[in-house]
Amino acid sequence: MSKNKLAKFALMATYPHVFQPEIHHFDSSHPQGDFPLRGNWAKDFFGNENPIVVELGCGHGDYAVGLARQFPEKNFIGVDIKGARMYSGAKESLEEGLKNVAFLRTRIELIAQFFAQNEVSEIWITFPDPQMKKRNKRLTSSSFLLQYARFLKPDGVIHLKTDSPFLYTYTTLLLEKNGIAPELVSDDLYHRPVADERQQEELTSIQTHYEKQWLGRGLSIKYLRFRPLPEGASYEEPEEEIEFDAYRSYGREKRTPQQSGK
Ligand SMILES: C[S@@+](CC[C@H](N)C(=O)[O-])C[C@H]1O[C@@H](n2cnc3c(N)ncnc32)[C@H](O)[C@@H]1O
């Protein structure tokens, strides 16, 4: 590991709003790992009862930090496995004294172990890898939606922002197949706004690291807001074949540095 990364990790270990639980305490051999803030984020960390919003795959954390600035009456938790990326949002929010943002470094596959039933009001999924070849790794696949329902409030919502026509089509078909009507939708957020002007402004005033890059390349940004099926429900996966994104290579070795995020 580079010296630079080591220095970032050492600093992050001292940050009071960054949590980096040992993964092996929460893996399949310890499915009931006891994360102390599970069920206690409001009381023991944020110190208020404001709604909790989780961003999955937060990368550099700039979106979680931007949302925290914009919505001081909500609490935000950015989740990612890559500590060196998360460091920038963690550092910025600490230096700015933001009290309504935290970071959790873990694998999203384990996410239901870090939040109790009804603890979370909203989930943001921002520019995830579409995982065109591996359905179960898609962050909007039914296996993930079932996990999210374990800790999302009954009226809680999921927001997806993506550049990927593949992931957008897949998610739209999955919702359709399971009778879920999205509450807000745009297949080109910056050119075909959602109906409500205030919401449109909220959705476009902050851009993630990847969003800026994709916009810079002239790609359209797609957005869906929906409520998943309740905990314990079962989903049917769509059977349609979906065209792969032409601009994205899906073998890691073929990726450009921009795509691999290095
Ligand atoms: C394409 S980047 C997008 C980052 C950020 N949301 C943005 O828009 O700039 C995807 C992020 O998801 C994270 N990620 C992907 N799969 C993950 C998983 N299973 N658990 C935790 N993080 C994951 C990666 O580490 C990466 O930072």
Side-chain angles (χ1 to χ4, degrees):
M1 196 180 298
S2 72
K3 265 194 188 164
N4 192 20
K5 266 195 184 174
L6 284 173
K8 286 179 180 175
F9 289 153
L11 274 172
M12 271 217 307
T14 69
Y15 288 178
H17 65 325
V18 176
F19 300 90
Q20 308 189 68
E22 292 281 347
I23 296 278
H24 68 268
H25 288 171
F26 298 92
D27 64 13
S28 53
S29 56
H30 299 85
Q32 296 306 326
D34 50 353
F35 182 62
L37 286 177
R38 185 176 197 263
N40 299 312
W41 283 93
K43 178 168 66 75
D44 293 345
F45 179 74
F46 292 113
N48 61 50
E49 292 295 325
N50 291 343
I52 292 178
V53 182
V54 170
E55 186 194 0
L56 298 176
C58 69
H60 297 80
D62 38 359
Y63 204 61
V65 172
L67 289 171
R69 274 189 206 115
Q70 189 166 343
F71 299 102
E73 72 295 353
K74 295 184 184 180
N75 297 318
F76 295 87
I77 302 171
V79 180
D80 206 289
I81 193 60
K82 294 203 174 152
R85 287 186 185 184
M86 181 180 278
Y87 169 79
S88 34
K91 179 170 182 282
E92 194 179 333
S93 50
L94 187 73
E95 288 176 353
E96 206 174 311
L98 287 174
K99 296 288 180 231
N100 62 331
V101 63
F103 291 92
L104 172 62
R105 183 171 174 218
T106 195
R107 294 176 55 219
I108 297 165
E109 286 76 0
L110 305 175
I111 194 70
Q113 300 210 41
F114 299 98
F115 299 99
Q117 198 177 30
N118 296 339
E119 193 165 21
V120 171
S121 298
E122 297 174 51
I123 293 175
W124 271 95
I125 306 174
T126 48
F127 300 89
D129 186 321
Q131 299 287 356
M132 294 185 282
K133 289 196 158 179
K134 294 183 189 143
R135 189 184 75 197
N136 283 340
K137 287 195 156 194
R138 291 176 207 151
L139 293 187
T140 57
S141 66
S142 51
S143 54
F144 276 103
L145 295 187
L146 286 171
Q147 281 222 54
Y148 307 153
R150 289 171 58 193
F151 56 86
L152 198 59
K153 288 182 190 291
D155 60 349
V157 292
I158 297 180
H159 308 258
L160 170 70
K161 248 187 186 184
T162 180
D163 55 287
S164 165
F166 177 91
L167 189 70
Y168 176 75
T169 306
Y170 165 76
T171 309
T172 303
L173 290 171
L174 177 73
L175 298 184
E176 239 172 63
K177 177 115 188 176
N178 293 282
I180 302 172
E183 294 180 349
L184 282 180
V185 59
S186 173
D187 65 357
D188 189 352
L189 190 58
Y190 289 86
H191 299 104
R192 276 192 284 280
V194 296
D196 180 311
E197 234 175 80
R198 184 185 53 84
Q199 279 168 331
Q200 175 68 19
E201 164 63 19
E202 285 178 7
L203 290 169
T204 51
S205 59
I206 315 168
Q207 293 164 355
T208 78
H209 186 80
Y210 273 75
E211 185 168 8
K212 287 185 187 130
Q213 293 192 1
W214 294 125
L215 281 168
R217 285 180 59 180
L219 293 179
S220 63
I221 303 303
K222 295 130 195 14
Y223 171 74
L224 282 170
R225 184 176 94 181
F226 62 95
R227 291 181 194 202
L229 295 177
E231 185 180 4
S234 60
Y235 283 88
E236 278 185 61
E237 282 285 336
E239 278 150 24
E240 290 86 341
E241 254 194 45
I242 305 170
E243 194 179 330
F244 280 13
D245 299 336
Y247 60 91
R248 191 189 288 272
S249 49
Y250 30 90
R252 286 199 76 79
E253 65 291 350
K254 288 190 216 148
R255 291 183 172 200
T256 63
Q258 185 187 42
Q259 284 171 313
S260 66
K262 284 181 185 150

